[in-house]
Amino acid sequence: MTDRQLRNDSYPLLHGERVYLRRPQQSDAPLVFAWERDDEVWRYDPHRPYSETLEEFLPIFERNYVIGNGRQFWFIIEDEHHVPIGTITYFNLDYRLRQAEVGLGLGEKSRWGQGYGPEAIRTLVRYLFETLGLVRVYAETAQANQPARRAFAKAGFTEVGQIFDPRSTGAPWVLLEIVKTEETAAS
């Protein structure tokens, strides 16, 4: 399957027990814009996306989230009532090594600590293992980002070690990964 086919033809609706992961729509732009401008949501990432106005953000959102660039694939996370609560993405897709990086952002702070993040991660990892045939999925996060580290741990990721993130201000980052095994394939 080519990146173009992934981008245009097979953007599935994924679901877990409580979450749904769906393709972004232009109507999601105001919510994602609000999440991106929230200092508390982005407190661990010094290189967050940023637009001054919604009008400035709309074409960026359409290009990166709705249409896609063939290198990064975004999903809107919805709760069990189909209310958008955040975003999840996979990128740095490497078919030769059969791996990809994932990123999670729960924008709705009222949903923090309720298990939606780990479930969204598990749902996307299941898709990456079962449908795309990947064998390794990894994530990078600030060492200080305990909520993200807990979410990935609850989703079955293990911490590999400290890394340097060139986007960072010098604060330590952590590499986390999950490798496909018979056990992870069954979950």
Side-chain angles (χ1 to χ4, degrees):
M1 182 176 310
T2 67
D3 289 340
R4 182 168 299 282
Q5 287 171 320
L6 273 173
R7 186 177 67 220
N8 294 329
D9 299 333
S10 59
Y11 222 103
L13 172 67
L14 306 176
H15 59 88
E17 289 183 34
R18 297 183 304 157
V19 300
Y20 295 87
L21 309 182
R22 65 163 173 81
R23 185 177 191 151
Q25 302 166 350
Q26 195 65 24
S27 59
D28 295 314
L31 267 178
V32 175
F33 176 73
W35 296 334
E36 286 191 0
R37 295 194 41 94
D38 188 314
D39 290 336
E40 190 175 4
V41 170
W42 283 89
R43 73 179 171 262
Y44 297 110
D45 193 345
H47 190 68
R48 73 183 195 195
Y50 190 80
S51 297
E52 290 291 330
T53 66
L54 180 59
E55 292 71 29
E56 178 185 320
F57 180 69
L58 289 174
I60 295 167
F61 182 82
E62 181 178 26
R63 181 178 63 247
N64 293 341
Y65 289 75
V66 178
I67 296 171
N69 60 17
R71 293 181 304 277
Q72 186 167 12
F73 304 89
W74 288 94
F75 293 86
I76 297 295
I77 303 168
E78 293 183 336
D79 69 9
E80 60 272 18
H81 304 291
H82 294 283
V83 174
I85 61 172
T87 60
I88 193 165
T89 181
Y90 69 94
F91 53 102
N92 292 335
L93 182 60
D94 186 326
Y95 287 111
R96 186 177 55 78
L97 295 175
R98 297 174 56 196
Q99 67 181 17
E101 183 172 355
V102 296
L104 171 74
L106 274 186
E108 288 301 321
K109 294 181 281 192
S110 65
R111 301 311 176 90
W112 290 1
Q114 297 179 28
Y116 289 102
E119 185 177 340
I121 295 166
R122 284 191 301 272
T123 301
L124 182 58
V125 167
R126 186 175 60 244
Y127 166 75
L128 296 173
F129 284 168
E130 293 176 3
T131 304
L132 297 189
L134 302 186
V135 297
R136 178 179 180 255
V137 177
Y138 65 96
E140 300 174 355
T141 191
Q143 186 172 323
N145 190 346
Q146 292 299 322
R149 292 171 70 185
R150 279 193 302 272
F152 280 100
K154 288 177 183 177
F157 281 64
T158 58
E159 292 193 7
V160 177
Q162 188 173 321
I163 59 170
F164 171 75
D165 187 320
R167 305 171 308 157
S168 174
T169 59
W173 280 57
V174 176
L175 174 66
L176 307 102
E177 72 177 6
I178 187 168
V179 178
K180 184 177 182 179
T181 62
E182 287 187 29
E183 186 177 295
T184 58
S187 61

